[in-house]
Amino acid sequence: AQARVTVGRAVQVFFCDDGKTLAAACSSPEGFSQIFHGAALLFTLDLRQAETVAGCGHGAASGSGPCAGTAAAGSRGARFQRALVAELALGACRTSQVTLEQTLREAANFGRPSRSRLGSVLPMVPSLRAQQRAGADSVYFADVGVIAVLSLGRGRPRFFF
């Protein structure tokens, strides 16, 4: 059973990346906004999902896709040095009409951000940008329980381990 995301209250979520990046996000007064400017961040409700999503990368255009069914099953992806617990204040969170795999495929075709990132950080692809223009600050991928945060000020890093 998938956990439900309730709009209007803070939700604790997980995010995986390298230790230096997470330390910078935690110590910055602007949190995620300064470190990941212009990107969409993928947060999960479960640590194993965060590891899996981070391991997906942007190679989604191949074969069956790197995340096909794995995030929902909670299987382990690549191990990362650090994980971060964050608090999201979900406001205008919309349920995605497409799957996370389709969005990852779009990101692979769109190109990578200026710095090579892990799978938890996506360029602001056209489908996500359209959701943002329509007023969404985040998008919920119900098929795998992943939240793409478009307005990075909505997330506040708490601590990393």
Side-chain angles (χ1 to χ4, degrees):
Q2 288 290 336
R4 295 185 60 89
V5 175
T6 305
V7 175
R9 68 174 248 226
V11 178
Q12 288 202 341
V13 291
F14 296 93
F15 179 80
C16 288
D17 206 322
D18 67 85
K20 286 183 181 180
T21 303
L22 296 182
C26 283
S27 63
S28 170
E30 295 178 30
F32 297 110
S33 299
Q34 182 176 359
I35 308 302
F36 299 108
H37 180 73
L41 302 184
L42 300 178
F43 292 90
T44 67
L45 302 171
D46 176 89
L47 177 58
R48 290 181 301 173
Q49 281 182 300
E51 292 173 339
T52 300
V53 169
C56 289
H58 297 289
S62 64
S64 61
C67 289
T70 59
S75 64
R76 287 196 178 269
R79 293 289 300 179
F80 293 91
Q81 291 181 338
R82 300 279 188 224
L84 178 135
V85 174
E87 190 172 87
L88 296 181
L90 299 175
C93 183
R94 305 250 168 91
T95 300
S96 179
Q97 300 301 309
V98 299
T99 65
L100 177 60
E101 183 181 351
Q102 290 169 313
T103 302
L104 289 171
R105 220 178 253 130
E106 182 182 11
N109 294 332
F110 184 75
R112 295 177 186 211
S114 58
R115 288 173 38 197
S116 179
R117 303 297 320 152
L118 301 173
S120 298
V121 182
L122 297 178
M124 192 63 79
V125 295
S127 64
L128 294 176
R129 181 133 353 250
Q131 290 279 5
Q132 189 177 43
R133 279 194 305 270
D137 58 32
S138 53
V139 176
Y140 180 58
F141 293 93
D143 60 316
V144 290
V146 172
I147 303 165
V149 176
L150 312 178
S151 299
L152 301 183
R154 303 296 287 182
R156 176 177 227 167
R158 289 299 185 195
F159 60 90
F160 70 99
F161 52 95

